[in-house]
């Protein structure tokens, strides 16, 4: 028999490596369910456009308002109303020792002035409050009126009566005694207003107030203490 017969069909050479396996392809799932959603993209685009449009509209409105305010100021040059207390006469200002009852008699003459050339002022409500150490002791509602361009108006108010000032403490009592010795009292006059400005066809409304720090000398028998009352300019606050 030949040599191949002894081999019995077997192969005795070096081992044959197994065939290489193909790598598995890996598909990473995309966000949103594995595929691009055109509706989501379209919605995001529309939202971005809407927000951008709103922002541009707001910027445009602010710019227009700024231009309007600037033009208004250049044309009208608005100035705050002026208010002075010309005269204050105090004939009684007695604080009782037992229950802090204040007996008072105060007459005030005041002037309203409109410094504007193109703006009129309607005084629809004028509430005058007299205070001592931040406590109101009298109130008067004054006559209402219209004040034209560069015009003035004089008004008077009389505060007479009695009022318990329950919140006065020992320091306030000491201040009162010092003022009584000197013959000059620190009285505050505060005006709460409801007014309208006349600007062409528009009449915007405001609720400002005037505040006056008065030093009022006592008048007794026609004689005035400490040289008389000094005309006082009051502060205006919108």
């Amino acid at each position: 028999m030949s040599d191949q017969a002894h081999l019995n069909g077997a192969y005795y050479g070096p081992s044959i490596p197994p065939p290489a396996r193909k790598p598995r392809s890996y598909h990473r799932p995309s966000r949103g369910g594995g595929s691009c959603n055109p509706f989501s993209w379209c919605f995001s685009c529309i939202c971005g456009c809407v927000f951008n449009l709103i922002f541009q509209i707001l910027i445009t409105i602010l710019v227009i308002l700024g231009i309007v305010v600037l033009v208004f100021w250049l044309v009208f040059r608005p100035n705050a109303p002026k208010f002075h207390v010309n005269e204050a006469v105090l004939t009684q200002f007695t604080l009782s020792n037992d229950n802090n009852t204040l007996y008072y008699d105060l007459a005030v003459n005041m002037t309203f002035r409109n410094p504007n050339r193109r703006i009129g002022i309607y005084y629809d409500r004028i509430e005058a409050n007299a205070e001592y150490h931040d406590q109101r002791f009298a109130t008067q509602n004054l006559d209402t009126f219209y004040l034209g361009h560069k015009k003035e108006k004089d008004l008077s108010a009389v505060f007479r009566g009695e009022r318990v000032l329950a919140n006065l403490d020992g320091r306030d009592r000491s201040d009162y005694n010092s003022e009584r010795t000197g013959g000059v009292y620190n009285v505050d006059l505060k005006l709460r207003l409801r007014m309208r400005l006349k600007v062409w066809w528009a009449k915007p409304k405001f609720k400002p107030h005037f505040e006056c720090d008065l030093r009022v000398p006592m008048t007794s028998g026609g004689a005035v203490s400490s040289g008389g009352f000094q005309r006082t300019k009051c502060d205006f606050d919108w």
Side-chain angles (χ1 to χ4, degrees):
M1 296 180 66
S2 63
D3 295 337
Q4 293 180 354
H6 295 285
L7 298 176
N8 297 324
Y11 176 72
Y12 294 95
S15 60
I16 300 175
R21 300 174 62 183
K22 292 184 179 181
R24 294 182 179 180
S25 60
Y26 177 72
H27 298 282
R28 183 178 181 181
S30 61
R31 297 180 180 178
S35 62
C36 180
N37 190 338
F39 296 102
S40 300
W41 178 86
C42 185
F43 178 76
S44 300
C45 181
I46 292 176
C47 289
C49 293
V50 170
F51 289 145
N52 187 36
L53 178 61
I54 292 175
F55 179 76
Q56 292 180 359
I57 292 175
L58 291 177
I59 294 297
T60 302
I61 292 175
L62 291 177
V63 171
I64 293 175
L65 289 177
I67 295 175
V68 170
V69 171
L70 178 61
V71 171
F72 175 84
W73 185 84
L74 292 175
V75 173
F76 293 95
R77 296 295 179 92
N79 294 302
K82 306 299 181 182
F83 178 73
H84 291 81
V85 175
N86 304 314
E87 187 67 30
V89 178
L90 187 64
T91 56
Q92 184 181 19
F93 205 74
T94 305
L95 187 62
S96 65
N97 294 321
D98 50 359
N99 60 353
N100 286 340
T101 299
L102 179 66
Y103 301 90
Y104 56 89
D105 193 337
L106 172 66
V108 179
N109 176 267
M110 61 202 90
T111 297
F112 295 81
R113 186 169 73 88
N114 179 9
N116 297 285
R117 295 181 180 274
R118 297 181 177 89
I119 300 176
I121 303 176
Y122 290 92
Y123 287 92
D124 295 328
R125 183 173 181 267
I126 307 174
E127 180 185 284
N129 297 300
E131 298 183 1
Y132 185 67
H133 284 278
D134 296 326
Q135 295 192 58
R136 184 177 59 183
F137 62 84
T139 299
Q140 286 286 336
N141 290 317
L142 308 182
D143 294 335
T144 59
F145 56 92
Y146 169 75
L147 198 57
H149 312 150
K150 292 289 185 178
K151 299 295 183 179
E152 293 185 354
K153 176 71 173 180
D154 293 333
L155 289 181
S156 297
V158 176
F159 305 96
R160 182 182 296 116
E162 60 184 67
R163 182 68 176 268
V164 176
L165 304 182
N167 294 326
L168 288 183
D169 55 20
R171 179 177 299 180
D172 298 330
R173 168 69 67 172
S174 177
D175 291 340
Y176 169 79
N177 292 332
S178 298
E179 294 171 4
R180 183 178 60 179
T181 301
V184 179
Y185 296 88
N186 295 314
V187 179
D188 297 328
L189 180 65
K190 297 182 180 181
L191 270 62
R192 299 175 59 184
L193 310 171
R194 188 169 65 237
M195 57 186 290
R196 291 174 293 157
L197 301 182
K198 183 180 179 181
V199 185
W200 287 339
W201 50 267
K203 294 180 180 179
K205 298 179 180 181
F206 300 93
K207 292 183 178 181
H209 58 271
F210 286 110
E211 293 188 4
C212 314
D213 298 327
L214 307 179
R215 289 181 53 82
V216 187
M218 177 63 71
T219 301
S220 179
V224 181
S225 304
S226 303
F229 178 80
Q230 301 295 322
R231 187 172 187 262
T232 302
K233 180 182 179 180
C234 303
D235 297 327
F236 179 82
D237 190 359
W238 291 102

